[in-house]
Amino acid sequence: MAKHYKRAKDRRRRGIVFALLLLAVAAAVYAVALKNQGRYAKLAEPEATPAEVAASSPAPEPKTREWVVVSADEGLPAAQQAAEAPKAQPPVCGYPRADGTPLLAIVIDDGGSQMKLTRRVAALDIPTTWAIMPYRQYSKETAQLAASKSVPYILHLPMQAQVDKDSETGKFIIGRGMSADEVRAKTEKALDSLPGVAGVNNHRGSRATESRELMAPFMQVLKSRGLVFVDSRTTGKSVAYDEARKAGVPALQNRGFLDNSTDKAEIAKRFDELVRNAQKRGALLIICHFRPATVAFLEELNARYKNLPVRFVTVPEMLALTDNGVPKKK
């Protein structure tokens, strides 16, 4: 009886151990199955299409538009370039921003012969420099108007042109055949007739400005009075700018006439070309005149000049911000 009871007890123990082993195996199998479930699910998922990938990707940030300065022969048409150019900030005392904005100086020639057009120009906000002829009917009145508007003005001094004969001295103040003393005396007298001038530029003068013998004594007068010089460049052989630099006279050169045409549309087209040249060079001085079509163009320009990709400056400002017209190195 005791032996039978012992065998039954041993069988129960083996059954319990066996059951525990089965439970352990089952638990292990279940754990492995759970671990692989995510892996199997990923393998079962279909690959996303390119469109789905693009849709699920974050949208790229918009790129900032870069403004590229182009030469006069490349890039956008002038009208489109002016319309799309970033707006310039309001000027501070007429000086450009420190970001390298190109400079553009406009000299308006032939002042002193009339007042109607001059008063219209005086009403403009565009920084300009007036060049006033000596000994004309309204020379002093023009200078007084410029001073009242804080517009710098220079003496527009008649000089001999290639078409002028040496005997026609009434057409010019400085010309071939004059002695150095005569050049100095005539220059001094013309300057005295128009007090307050900041400097001088030549009226005509395609012959006189080719002569170093004439330009050297002329520059001596400007140096002694602390005045500046603008070479109108009526001839490609002019030595006036070189003589000014040699004498230590601050000087600029004309880089383009704006109004060789009396057609306002042609003037506007020429202006767009000169603006692109200013962008290319970094600084540009141009010349126009007190003429009906020119003044009408300037009045239209007055409404939009602050939105152009150049900063308008006067001749004194141009000299202060450049090395005789060449942009200063940063």
Side-chain angles (χ1 to χ4, degrees), residues 94-106 252 255 274-286 308-328:
Y95 288 87
R97 299 191 303 271
D99 61 358
T101 303
L103 305 174
L104 181 65
I106 299 178
L252 298 171
R255 295 295 183 179
L274 292 171
V275 166
R276 292 194 296 272
N277 286 344
Q279 290 181 279
K280 181 179 180 180
R281 288 179 174 272
L284 202 75
L285 181 144
I286 64 177
L308 296 179
V310 292
R311 174 57 49 83
F312 290 76
V313 294
T314 64
V315 164
E317 289 169 345
M318 175 77 84
L319 285 167
L321 295 164
T322 65
D323 181 9
N324 289 285
V326 179
K328 293 180 179 180

Side-chain angles (χ1 to χ4, degrees), residues 31-251:
V32 172
L34 287 176
K35 184 177 181 180
N36 292 331
Q37 184 176 5
R39 184 187 306 171
Y40 297 149
K42 288 183 179 179
L43 293 175
E45 292 176 358
E47 293 185 3
T49 64
E52 291 172 334
V53 172
S56 62
S57 301
E61 296 182 359
K63 294 183 178 180
T64 302
R65 186 172 187 178
E66 295 181 357
W67 291 97
V68 180
V69 175
V70 297
S71 72
D73 299 323
E74 301 175 352
L76 299 174
Q80 184 179 351
Q81 185 178 359
E84 292 192 6
K87 292 186 177 181
Q89 298 299 318
V92 179
C93 299
Y95 288 87
R97 299 191 303 271
D99 61 358
T101 303
L103 305 174
L104 181 65
I106 299 178
V107 175
I108 309 179
D109 275 357
D110 296 351
S113 298
Q114 51 70 43
M115 290 303 297
K116 184 176 180 180
L117 293 174
T118 305
R119 290 191 183 95
R120 287 169 60 182
V121 173
L124 304 178
D125 297 323
I126 304 172
T128 59
T129 302
W130 297 359
I132 305 173
M133 300 276 287
Y135 314 129
R136 295 299 172 91
Q137 182 179 0
Y138 301 105
S139 295
K140 291 185 177 180
E141 187 175 346
T142 301
Q144 291 169 355
L145 178 58
S148 71
K149 297 291 185 178
S150 299
V151 175
Y153 55 96
I154 59 179
L155 177 69
H156 194 39
L157 190 65
M159 297 186 185
Q160 186 178 15
Q162 295 292 353
V163 297
D164 295 329
K165 296 178 181 179
D166 292 345
S167 60
E168 298 176 317
T169 55
K171 290 185 177 181
F172 49 86
I173 293 177
I174 295 179
R176 296 294 180 99
M178 295 182 182
S179 67
D181 288 342
E182 191 174 3
V183 169
R184 284 189 288 265
K186 286 179 173 287
T187 302
E188 295 274 7
K189 184 179 179 180
L191 287 168
D192 290 341
S193 75
L194 204 63
V197 294
V200 180
N201 76 328
N202 55 290
H203 172 68
R204 303 170 79 237
S206 56
R207 188 174 184 184
T209 56
E210 290 182 358
S211 170
R212 295 189 183 276
E213 290 75 15
L214 294 176
M215 291 298 99
F218 166 67
M219 295 302 170
Q220 290 172 1
V221 176
L222 270 57
K223 175 64 175 178
S224 67
R225 295 198 177 202
L227 301 177
V228 306
F229 176 69
V230 175
D231 187 351
S232 299
R233 295 285 295 176
T234 53
T235 171
K237 297 179 181 179
S238 173
V239 297
Y241 178 80
D242 290 340
E243 286 298 315
R245 296 295 305 277
K246 186 185 298 184
V249 174

Side-chain angles (χ1 to χ4, degrees), residues 20-32:
L20 290 173
L21 288 173
L22 287 177
L23 287 173
V25 172
V29 172
Y30 184 73
V32 172

